[in-house]
Amino acid sequence: MGSLGISAFAVKPVFALENKMVKPVLLSTWDAGIAANKPAWEILKNKGRALDAVENGVMVTEASQNCCVGLGANPDRDGFVTLDASIMDEFGNCGSVAFLERIKHPVSVARRVMEKTPHVLLVGEGAQKFAVSEGFPLEPAELSEDAKKSYRDWLKQSRYQPVINIENKQHGPFAPSQINGEWNHDTIGMIALDMNGNLSGSCTTSGMGFKMRGRVGDSPIIGAGLYVDNEIGAAVSTGVGEEVIKICGTHLVVEFMRQGMTPEEACKKAVERIVKRNGAKAKDIQVAFIAINKQGEYGGYSIQKGFNYALCTPAINNQLINPKYLF
Ligand code: GLY
């Protein structure tokens, strides 16, 4: 074989990338990710499976008093908290639940859907029935005290107006005065690469505060709110779910990585697509993606300033990262 052929083969990145692989790596959206990363990182550090890490991690946020995730969150317009969640493993298995009421840990129900049913997505009453049959307790229907107050405030105007970066304005718990009674969403999404080099992801939310009853966002839609391809990478989204669904956001991010883009470049390209579709209206929309590739490279990008994510790597001990943004 000629020297040209040998050297062209020798510089192929396959083995080099394998050697460079950083693991484990863990990312989760917003500053609530700092608390969520703690149990997830313990699992990853102890050579546990990425799937277990991303489930246990976001359960912390589901159990916390949070405007945007779990049963303590803001209700829909009719005064009921409805939850969406999804999970995806290294084999491409996935499960999700949507419009689920009175169950504390929708992400774990999503995992049971993945592992114990032939289906991917269960919704509403059927999802709740399945959860109860799996031993998940039916929690009281009552709103948390904070959610009651914010709902009362919201009812004064009954206006729906997305508030950009509401997640960080509130730092998880409720702070109604900061947002004049206007409530929004969002999500905790978590993606991880474990010591075995396997990827998984999870996503859980109460969706947009004061949404129409029955509204479901991107979080339980595989390929929109969450996507994992163990050969390439994983991505998760946060922000206005309708916009993410319209571009199949996280699938797009993973496909951009497949084409050779870094995680940050892939996230940027996806948010640019949302901006292009929306023209001038994009100024009122926040969407962000975070992504990780098989080599342990990571990144994120948002439309608006103010998005952040919590990161753990062998060199970075659970730090908030402010990624780049378009506006
Ligand atoms: N990104 C969460 C939602 O729109 O429901």
Side-chain angles (χ1 to χ4, degrees):
M1 189 184 286
S3 63
L4 186 62
I6 290 167
S7 75
F9 187 72
V11 295
K12 247 340 209 177
V14 177
F15 299 113
L17 288 175
E18 197 65 32
N19 291 339
K20 255 194 347 191
M21 193 185 230
V22 175
K23 51 191 186 184
V25 177
L26 175 69
L27 288 78
S28 58
T29 56
W30 301 107
D31 53 6
I34 293 284
N37 278 0
K38 286 178 187 164
W41 188 243
E42 277 308 305
I43 291 170
L44 293 171
K45 267 193 331 196
N46 289 305
K47 303 195 174 136
R49 190 177 170 201
L51 185 71
D52 294 323
V54 298
E55 179 190 5
N56 282 275
V58 303
M59 283 172 74
V60 170
T61 324
E62 286 181 340
S64 70
Q65 180 62 11
N66 190 298
C67 70
C68 314
V69 178
L71 286 177
N74 286 313
D76 64 15
R77 287 176 189 195
D78 293 10
F80 301 100
V81 177
T82 72
L83 303 175
D84 302 335
S86 61
I87 196 159
M88 194 160 182
D89 75 8
E90 69 270 34
F91 304 110
N93 298 314
C94 47
S96 50
V97 288
F99 194 48
L100 177 63
E101 294 176 274
R102 299 180 56 189
I103 299 290
K104 190 170 177 183
H105 288 301
V107 72
S108 301
V109 185
R111 183 167 176 175
R112 299 284 175 93
V113 172
M114 174 175 87
E115 292 180 339
K116 293 197 155 184
T117 80
H119 307 305
V120 166
L121 171 60
L122 292 182
V123 306
E125 194 190 326
Q128 190 191 68
K129 234 174 159 172
F130 170 69
V132 170
S133 75
E134 285 294 310
F136 291 85
L138 206 51
E139 306 290 341
E142 214 185 332
L143 297 182
S144 67
E145 287 309 310
D146 288 330
K148 270 186 210 161
K149 180 169 181 340
S150 67
Y151 186 49
R152 274 197 304 269
D153 287 348
W154 181 80
L155 282 173
K156 286 177 197 154
Q157 296 190 325
S158 301
R159 196 149 66 94
Y160 178 71
Q161 176 66 47
V163 179
I164 288 168
N165 301 326
I166 195 68
E167 308 78 6
N168 274 358
K169 284 177 184 149
Q170 294 177 162
H171 294 279
F174 296 75
S177 61
Q178 290 175 302
I179 52 165
N180 305 318
E182 293 172 357
W183 291 88
N184 202 279
H185 41 100
D186 212 51
T187 311
I188 181 152
M190 182 177 276
I191 45 181
L193 176 71
D194 65 27
M195 292 291 263
N196 290 319
N198 286 322
L199 294 157
S200 289
S202 65
C203 192
T204 180
T205 185
S206 57
M208 292 179 168
F210 316 114
K211 61 195 173 186
M212 286 178 71
R213 184 141 179 86
R215 182 264 185 192
V216 170
D218 57 324
S219 302
I221 309 296
I222 300 299
L226 171 69
Y227 198 67
V228 177
D229 180 330
N230 204 43
E231 287 184 2
I232 303 298
V236 71
S237 67
T238 178
V240 180
E242 283 75 1
E243 297 305 325
V244 179
I245 292 171
K246 286 174 195 167
I247 64 156
C248 299
T250 53
H251 185 258
L252 189 62
V253 170
V254 172
E255 290 308 302
F256 283 146
M257 291 194 285
R258 193 189 307 279
Q259 290 167 19
M261 289 181 207
T262 66
E264 183 185 281
E265 288 164 352
C267 293
K268 181 177 185 216
K269 272 284 223 210
V271 299
E272 281 173 349
R273 188 165 293 189
I274 293 173
V275 168
K276 190 170 171 208
R277 288 189 76 262
N278 282 279
K281 277 193 305 174
K283 287 208 177 57
D284 299 324
I285 297 170
Q286 175 65 308
V287 167
F289 296 99
I290 56 173
I292 181 171
N293 68 17
K294 191 72 177 163
Q295 288 72 45
E297 295 171 314
Y298 54 85
Y301 221 94
S302 59
I303 298 180
Q304 317 282 346
K305 187 176 176 180
F307 169 64
N308 53 18
Y309 63 88
L311 172 70
C312 294
T313 72
I316 298 171
N317 180 18
N318 210 7
Q319 271 179 27
L320 274 182
I321 307 291
N322 297 307
K324 293 183 189 152
Y325 49 89
L326 289 182
F327 297 146

